[in-house]
Structure formats: C-alpha cells, structure tokens
Amino acid sequence: MANIPTPHDAAYFAQSVKKWQQVLNLGDWRIEKGVKPAKAAMASVEFNDAARLATYRLGDFGAEKITPDSLDKTALHELLHVFLHDLMVTATDPKTSDEQLEAQEHRIINLLERLLTTKDSNGRS
C-alpha cells in the first residue's frame, strides 16, 4: 500500500525546505516543488545548474511513518544534497583546479563551523 504525503504534509515539507534553505545559506538557489512524484524514494532533488534551480519531489514514504519529524528530516536530507551539489560538481570536473576545490571545501567548513559553534537560546553550544 502506498504511503504518500497528503497536501497538508506537502505544505509542511515545503516549510521545512524553506527553513533548511535559510539555515544552510542556500539563498542563491531557487528551490521549487516538482509536479511529478519521486520514483522509488521518499523524496528526490534534481538540478538545473544554469538556472541555479533545484526541484524537489515527494514520493512514497513506504514503511516510514509520515510525521512532522520524518518530513523535516527528509527535507533536511534533500537540502543537504543542494548544499553539497557545488562541491560534487567541482570535485567531478576534471578541469577543476586545486584552488576551486579548496574554495568549495571551505564554503562547507565555514558553514559547519558556524552551525556547530552557535549557542542556542539557553547558552549551550
């Protein structure tokens, strides 16, 4: 039996996408919901590099229970693909210089440093 997110679930997922887009500093990407469902996956993301467009699709969650937590974690997973996309493209291009690859690595390191050392509202790191 299919376990497809409802329109309400899809709206919650879209809000999570926006939240993670901001947290991961992905403002230079246009991130949109695709029309067709993801095939054989809870969600997927496709890229149009020239347009700086990432299109996500929701699919069948299978045995995974659809909850706000599972939707949020799935949105984070897909946005991490967007976050790492430039590094993957750079790393797999044979014409990439060491400097270009290092720049992509540092973009990721700088964000992770900021996220992992930011204190929450209770003063904890």
Short mmCIF file of all heavy atoms in Angstrom, two decimals, residues 65-99:
data_model
loop_
_atom_site.label_atom_id
_atom_site.label_comp_id
_atom_site.label_asym_id
_atom_site.label_seq_id
_atom_site.Cartn_x
_atom_site.Cartn_y
_atom_site.Cartn_z
N LYS A 65 6.81 6.09 8.80
CA LYS A 65 5.60 6.82 9.20
C LYS A 65 5.77 8.30 8.84
O LYS A 65 6.82 8.89 9.06
CB LYS A 65 5.39 6.65 10.71
CG LYS A 65 4.07 7.22 11.16
CD LYS A 65 3.76 6.85 12.60
CE LYS A 65 2.40 7.44 12.87
NZ LYS A 65 1.91 7.40 14.13
N ILE A 66 4.75 8.88 8.24
CA ILE A 66 4.80 10.30 7.88
C ILE A 66 4.39 11.12 9.10
O ILE A 66 3.24 11.09 9.54
CB ILE A 66 3.88 10.61 6.66
CG1 ILE A 66 4.36 9.83 5.44
CG2 ILE A 66 3.88 12.11 6.37
CD1 ILE A 66 3.45 9.95 4.23
N THR A 67 5.38 11.83 9.64
CA THR A 67 5.18 12.67 10.82
C THR A 67 5.87 14.00 10.54
O THR A 67 6.69 14.09 9.60
CB THR A 67 5.82 12.03 12.07
OG1 THR A 67 7.24 11.99 11.87
CG2 THR A 67 5.29 10.64 12.35
N PRO A 68 5.60 15.02 11.34
CA PRO A 68 6.36 16.27 11.16
C PRO A 68 7.87 16.02 11.23
O PRO A 68 8.63 16.59 10.45
CB PRO A 68 5.86 17.15 12.31
CG PRO A 68 4.45 16.68 12.53
CD PRO A 68 4.50 15.19 12.31
N ASP A 69 8.31 15.14 12.12
CA ASP A 69 9.74 14.84 12.26
C ASP A 69 10.29 14.16 11.01
O ASP A 69 11.36 14.54 10.51
CB ASP A 69 9.98 13.97 13.49
CG ASP A 69 11.46 13.79 13.78
OD1 ASP A 69 12.17 14.81 13.91
OD2 ASP A 69 11.91 12.63 13.87
N SER A 70 9.58 13.16 10.48
CA SER A 70 10.09 12.46 9.29
C SER A 70 10.07 13.38 8.08
O SER A 70 10.98 13.33 7.23
CB SER A 70 9.32 11.16 9.01
OG SER A 70 7.99 11.41 8.62
N LEU A 71 9.08 14.25 7.98
CA LEU A 71 9.03 15.22 6.88
C LEU A 71 10.19 16.21 6.99
O LEU A 71 10.86 16.51 6.00
CB LEU A 71 7.69 15.97 6.88
CG LEU A 71 6.48 15.15 6.46
CD1 LEU A 71 5.20 15.87 6.86
CD2 LEU A 71 6.50 14.84 4.97
N ASP A 72 10.45 16.70 8.21
CA ASP A 72 11.52 17.67 8.42
C ASP A 72 12.89 17.05 8.13
O ASP A 72 13.73 17.66 7.46
CB ASP A 72 11.47 18.20 9.86
CG ASP A 72 12.38 19.39 10.06
OD1 ASP A 72 12.25 20.39 9.31
OD2 ASP A 72 13.24 19.33 10.96
N LYS A 73 13.12 15.82 8.60
CA LYS A 73 14.40 15.14 8.35
C LYS A 73 14.58 14.85 6.86
O LYS A 73 15.70 14.94 6.34
CB LYS A 73 14.50 13.86 9.17
CG LYS A 73 14.77 14.14 10.64
CD LYS A 73 14.88 12.88 11.45
CE LYS A 73 15.18 13.23 12.90
NZ LYS A 73 15.06 12.08 13.78
N THR A 74 13.51 14.52 6.18
CA THR A 74 13.60 14.27 4.74
C THR A 74 13.89 15.56 3.99
O THR A 74 14.70 15.58 3.06
CB THR A 74 12.29 13.61 4.23
OG1 THR A 74 12.07 12.40 4.97
CG2 THR A 74 12.37 13.28 2.75
N ALA A 75 13.27 16.66 4.42
CA ALA A 75 13.57 17.96 3.80
C ALA A 75 15.03 18.33 4.03
O ALA A 75 15.72 18.77 3.10
CB ALA A 75 12.65 19.04 4.38
N LEU A 76 15.54 18.12 5.23
CA LEU A 76 16.95 18.38 5.52
C LEU A 76 17.83 17.53 4.61
O LEU A 76 18.80 18.04 4.03
CB LEU A 76 17.27 18.11 6.99
CG LEU A 76 18.75 18.16 7.37
CD1 LEU A 76 19.37 19.52 7.05
CD2 LEU A 76 18.95 17.79 8.84
N HIS A 77 17.51 16.26 4.48
CA HIS A 77 18.30 15.36 3.62
C HIS A 77 18.39 15.91 2.19
O HIS A 77 19.47 15.99 1.61
CB HIS A 77 17.68 13.95 3.63
CG HIS A 77 18.41 12.97 2.79
ND1 HIS A 77 19.33 12.10 3.31
CD2 HIS A 77 18.37 12.73 1.46
CE1 HIS A 77 19.83 11.36 2.32
NE2 HIS A 77 19.26 11.73 1.19
N GLU A 78 17.26 16.30 1.64
CA GLU A 78 17.25 16.81 0.26
C GLU A 78 18.01 18.14 0.16
O GLU A 78 18.73 18.37 -0.81
CB GLU A 78 15.82 16.95 -0.26
CG GLU A 78 15.06 15.63 -0.35
CD GLU A 78 15.83 14.52 -1.05
OE1 GLU A 78 16.43 14.76 -2.11
OE2 GLU A 78 15.83 13.38 -0.53
N LEU A 79 17.87 19.00 1.17
CA LEU A 79 18.58 20.28 1.14
C LEU A 79 20.09 20.09 1.33
O LEU A 79 20.88 20.89 0.82
CB LEU A 79 18.01 21.25 2.16
CG LEU A 79 16.86 22.14 1.66
CD1 LEU A 79 17.36 23.25 0.77
CD2 LEU A 79 15.77 21.36 0.94
N LEU A 80 20.49 19.03 2.01
CA LEU A 80 21.93 18.73 2.10
C LEU A 80 22.48 18.32 0.74
O LEU A 80 23.64 18.63 0.42
CB LEU A 80 22.19 17.66 3.16
CG LEU A 80 22.06 18.16 4.60
CD1 LEU A 80 22.10 17.00 5.59
CD2 LEU A 80 23.14 19.19 4.94
N HIS A 81 21.66 17.67 -0.09
CA HIS A 81 22.08 17.39 -1.47
C HIS A 81 22.34 18.72 -2.21
O HIS A 81 23.32 18.85 -2.94
CB HIS A 81 21.02 16.60 -2.24
CG HIS A 81 21.00 15.14 -1.92
ND1 HIS A 81 22.05 14.28 -2.20
CD2 HIS A 81 20.04 14.37 -1.35
CE1 HIS A 81 21.73 13.06 -1.81
NE2 HIS A 81 20.51 13.08 -1.29
N VAL A 82 21.45 19.69 -2.00
CA VAL A 82 21.63 21.01 -2.64
C VAL A 82 22.90 21.66 -2.09
O VAL A 82 23.73 22.19 -2.84
CB VAL A 82 20.40 21.93 -2.43
CG1 VAL A 82 20.63 23.30 -3.05
CG2 VAL A 82 19.14 21.27 -3.00
N PHE A 83 23.07 21.60 -0.76
CA PHE A 83 24.23 22.20 -0.11
C PHE A 83 25.55 21.63 -0.66
O PHE A 83 26.52 22.36 -0.87
CB PHE A 83 24.12 21.95 1.40
CG PHE A 83 25.28 22.46 2.20
CD1 PHE A 83 25.58 23.81 2.25
CD2 PHE A 83 26.07 21.58 2.92
CE1 PHE A 83 26.65 24.28 3.01
CE2 PHE A 83 27.15 22.05 3.67
CZ PHE A 83 27.43 23.40 3.71
N LEU A 84 25.58 20.32 -0.91
CA LEU A 84 26.81 19.67 -1.37
C LEU A 84 26.94 19.63 -2.89
O LEU A 84 27.98 19.22 -3.40
CB LEU A 84 26.86 18.24 -0.81
CG LEU A 84 27.03 18.15 0.70
CD1 LEU A 84 26.86 16.72 1.18
CD2 LEU A 84 28.38 18.70 1.12
N HIS A 85 25.92 20.09 -3.60
CA HIS A 85 25.91 19.99 -5.07
C HIS A 85 27.12 20.67 -5.72
O HIS A 85 27.78 20.07 -6.57
CB HIS A 85 24.60 20.55 -5.64
CG HIS A 85 24.52 20.43 -7.12
ND1 HIS A 85 24.30 19.22 -7.74
CD2 HIS A 85 24.65 21.35 -8.11
CE1 HIS A 85 24.30 19.41 -9.05
NE2 HIS A 85 24.51 20.69 -9.30
N ASP A 86 27.42 21.88 -5.32
CA ASP A 86 28.55 22.59 -5.93
C ASP A 86 29.86 21.85 -5.69
O ASP A 86 30.71 21.78 -6.58
CB ASP A 86 28.64 24.03 -5.43
CG ASP A 86 27.50 24.90 -5.94
OD1 ASP A 86 26.94 24.60 -7.01
OD2 ASP A 86 27.18 25.89 -5.26
N LEU A 87 30.04 21.31 -4.49
CA LEU A 87 31.24 20.53 -4.20
C LEU A 87 31.31 19.30 -5.10
O LEU A 87 32.38 19.00 -5.67
CB LEU A 87 31.27 20.11 -2.73
CG LEU A 87 32.45 19.19 -2.35
CD1 LEU A 87 33.78 19.92 -2.45
CD2 LEU A 87 32.26 18.62 -0.95
N MET A 88 30.20 18.61 -5.26
CA MET A 88 30.17 17.39 -6.09
C MET A 88 30.48 17.73 -7.55
O MET A 88 31.26 17.02 -8.20
CB MET A 88 28.81 16.69 -5.98
CG MET A 88 28.48 16.23 -4.56
SD MET A 88 29.69 15.09 -3.87
CE MET A 88 29.40 13.66 -4.91
N VAL A 89 29.90 18.79 -8.06
CA VAL A 89 30.15 19.20 -9.45
C VAL A 89 31.62 19.57 -9.62
O VAL A 89 32.29 19.15 -10.56
CB VAL A 89 29.23 20.37 -9.85
CG1 VAL A 89 29.66 20.99 -11.17
CG2 VAL A 89 27.78 19.90 -9.95
N THR A 90 32.14 20.35 -8.68
CA THR A 90 33.53 20.79 -8.74
C THR A 90 34.48 19.59 -8.64
O THR A 90 35.45 19.49 -9.39
CB THR A 90 33.82 21.81 -7.61
OG1 THR A 90 32.92 22.90 -7.75
CG2 THR A 90 35.25 22.33 -7.67
N ALA A 91 34.20 18.69 -7.71
CA ALA A 91 35.08 17.54 -7.47
C ALA A 91 35.11 16.57 -8.64
O ALA A 91 36.11 15.89 -8.86
CB ALA A 91 34.66 16.82 -6.20
N THR A 92 34.02 16.48 -9.40
CA THR A 92 33.97 15.52 -10.50
C THR A 92 34.35 16.12 -11.85
O THR A 92 34.41 15.40 -12.84
CB THR A 92 32.56 14.88 -10.61
OG1 THR A 92 31.59 15.92 -10.77
CG2 THR A 92 32.23 14.06 -9.36
N ASP A 93 34.63 17.42 -11.90
CA ASP A 93 35.05 18.06 -13.14
C ASP A 93 36.56 17.93 -13.28
O ASP A 93 37.31 18.45 -12.46
CB ASP A 93 34.65 19.54 -13.11
CG ASP A 93 34.98 20.27 -14.41
OD1 ASP A 93 35.77 19.75 -15.23
OD2 ASP A 93 34.44 21.37 -14.61
N PRO A 94 37.03 17.24 -14.34
CA PRO A 94 38.48 17.05 -14.49
C PRO A 94 39.26 18.36 -14.69
O PRO A 94 40.46 18.40 -14.48
CB PRO A 94 38.61 16.14 -15.72
CG PRO A 94 37.28 16.07 -16.35
CD PRO A 94 36.26 16.59 -15.38
N LYS A 95 38.55 19.43 -15.06
CA LYS A 95 39.23 20.73 -15.28
C LYS A 95 39.33 21.56 -14.00
O LYS A 95 39.90 22.65 -14.01
CB LYS A 95 38.49 21.52 -16.36
CG LYS A 95 38.53 20.85 -17.75
CD LYS A 95 37.80 21.66 -18.78
CE LYS A 95 36.35 21.53 -18.61
NZ LYS A 95 35.43 21.13 -19.53
N THR A 96 38.79 21.05 -12.90
CA THR A 96 38.81 21.79 -11.64
C THR A 96 40.23 21.94 -11.12
O THR A 96 40.99 20.98 -11.06
CB THR A 96 37.95 21.06 -10.58
OG1 THR A 96 36.60 21.09 -10.99
CG2 THR A 96 38.06 21.73 -9.22
N SER A 97 40.56 23.15 -10.70
CA SER A 97 41.87 23.40 -10.08
C SER A 97 41.80 23.05 -8.60
O SER A 97 40.72 22.99 -8.01
CB SER A 97 42.26 24.87 -10.25
OG SER A 97 41.43 25.68 -9.44
N ASP A 98 42.96 22.86 -8.00
CA ASP A 98 43.02 22.62 -6.56
C ASP A 98 42.40 23.78 -5.80
O ASP A 98 41.72 23.59 -4.79
CB ASP A 98 44.47 22.42 -6.10
CG ASP A 98 45.06 21.11 -6.59
OD1 ASP A 98 44.30 20.24 -7.04
OD2 ASP A 98 46.29 20.96 -6.52
N GLU A 99 42.62 25.00 -6.28
CA GLU A 99 42.08 26.20 -5.62
C GLU A 99 40.55 26.20 -5.65
O GLU A 99 39.91 26.57 -4.66
CB GLU A 99 42.62 27.47 -6.27
CG GLU A 99 44.10 27.72 -6.05
CD GLU A 99 45.01 26.88 -6.97
OE1 GLU A 99 44.53 26.36 -8.01
OE2 GLU A 99 46.18 26.74 -6.63
#
